[in-house]
Amino acid sequence: VDMGAILGEQLLHAAKIMEEQVDEEIKQLENMEEDDLEVIKRRRMEAMKKAAQQKEEYLKQGHGEYTEIPEEKEFFTVTKNSENVVCHFYRDETFRCKILDKHLNLLARKHIETKFCKINAEKCPFLCDRLKIKVIPTLILIKDSKTRGYVVGFTDLGNTDEFSTEMLEWRIAQAEVIKYNGDLMVPPDQAKKSSKTNFVGKKAMRGKGKRRDVDESSDDNDW
């Protein structure tokens, strides 16, 4: 059996199908009335105008930047005015809070549809008690003034301080408070590790000894 000939025939067949599809699309465009094209153009313009207005509204509400909520009563104003909110409960002396700050600052610029903010947990005891915030750092994910989930410490981020911004983005997207185009079933950092293989298809190992999957020296603060 000439496998090369068979493969070539299959490729020609696939190319023919694609060519027919393109020809059909061109034919449809040629047959469209001028009024139809005008309708499509008008709809696109309306969509662009609506998107611009929505962006302007987001910016008025402080979206697009990572800001601090000065006092706990302001927290309720923020969650009322913005449909999607990601709020970081932090403490100044907790190192991992500074790690989150770096990633959240980047995500705030990327996801203008969501309000990214932080609040000092020591200045809002009533709010922490009401929301059952017991570990610092904690992210609370809010949609339509309702809590959709929490990110407590770094457990959901691979239990490491070295997680990527994409990993945090993926975790936040689980609560549907940001627009996300990736695969919600596969953590980005896990996918990157899986792709790092040696020439025989096994995961590359660094150093010797038993691999530690869990960071036993977690410095999450219970309080």
Side-chain angles (χ1 to χ4, degrees):
V1 179
D2 189 343
M3 296 302 297
I6 294 175
L7 180 60
E9 186 177 336
Q10 291 176 339
L11 289 173
L12 285 173
H13 181 66
K16 183 178 180 181
I17 292 175
M18 290 184 65
E19 185 179 352
E20 291 174 351
Q21 291 175 344
V22 171
D23 288 343
E24 181 63 26
E25 291 177 3
I26 292 175
K27 184 178 179 180
Q28 289 178 0
L29 288 173
E30 290 176 344
N31 291 335
M32 289 184 71
E33 298 290 340
E34 186 175 340
D35 289 345
D36 294 331
L37 293 172
E38 189 62 32
V39 168
I40 292 175
K41 182 179 178 181
R42 186 169 65 251
R43 287 176 179 173
R44 287 179 178 173
M45 291 296 292
E46 289 174 352
M48 291 174 63
K49 183 178 180 180
K50 185 177 180 180
Q53 291 174 339
Q54 182 67 79
K55 182 178 180 179
E56 184 178 349
E57 185 63 29
Y58 284 147
L59 293 175
K60 286 181 180 179
Q61 295 171 1
H63 291 215
E65 57 183 348
Y66 180 47
T67 56
E68 178 151 9
I69 298 176
E71 53 186 358
E72 55 186 358
K73 67 179 182 180
E74 182 67 18
F75 174 85
F76 298 101
T77 301
V78 169
T79 56
K80 180 181 179 181
N81 292 339
S82 295
E83 178 184 353
N84 301 302
V85 177
V86 174
C87 187
H88 173 202
F89 283 78
Y90 78 97
R91 288 199 304 177
D92 286 324
E93 61 269 30
T94 303
F95 174 70
R96 282 189 161 181
C97 291
K98 294 178 175 58
I99 295 176
L100 269 184
D101 284 341
K102 177 186 70 174
H103 294 294
L104 291 171
N105 188 49
L106 294 172
L107 290 176
R109 299 175 187 178
K110 180 178 180 180
H111 292 281
I112 197 172
E113 74 278 5
T114 301
K115 173 67 176 175
F116 285 82
C117 53
K118 64 178 181 177
I119 188 168
N120 192 325
E122 294 180 326
K123 295 182 179 179
C124 57
F126 166 76
L127 196 56
C128 287
D129 182 64
R130 177 172 175 175
L131 297 175
K132 296 179 174 57
I133 305 295
K134 298 184 181 297
V135 174
I136 298 298
T138 286
L139 293 183
I140 184 169
L141 313 175
I142 299 170
K143 190 176 188 68
D144 296 325
S145 299
K146 296 181 180 179
T147 302
R148 294 294 297 267
Y150 295 85
V151 180
V152 181
F154 289 179
T155 303
D156 293 345
L157 303 172
N159 229 356
T160 174
D161 293 354
E162 305 300 324
F163 65 88
S164 66
T165 302
E166 291 76 18
M167 186 68 174
L168 179 59
E169 179 184 33
W170 171 84
R171 177 61 186 85
I172 291 172
Q174 302 288 327
E176 299 180 344
V177 296
I178 60 173
K179 294 179 181 178
Y180 187 71
N181 297 322
D183 186 352
L184 287 173
M185 300 299 293
V186 181
D189 287 1
Q190 179 181 313
K192 290 178 182 177
K193 288 180 180 178
S194 298
S195 66
K196 292 181 179 179
T197 59
N198 60 20
F199 66 93
V200 293
K202 296 181 180 179
K203 289 185 179 179
M205 300 295 290
R206 294 182 179 179
K208 297 181 179 179
K210 185 177 180 181
R211 180 177 177 270
R212 295 175 64 187
D213 291 317
V214 179
D215 177 10
E216 296 175 354
S217 60
S218 171
D219 62 353
D220 291 339
N221 287 271
D222 292 330
W223 59 297

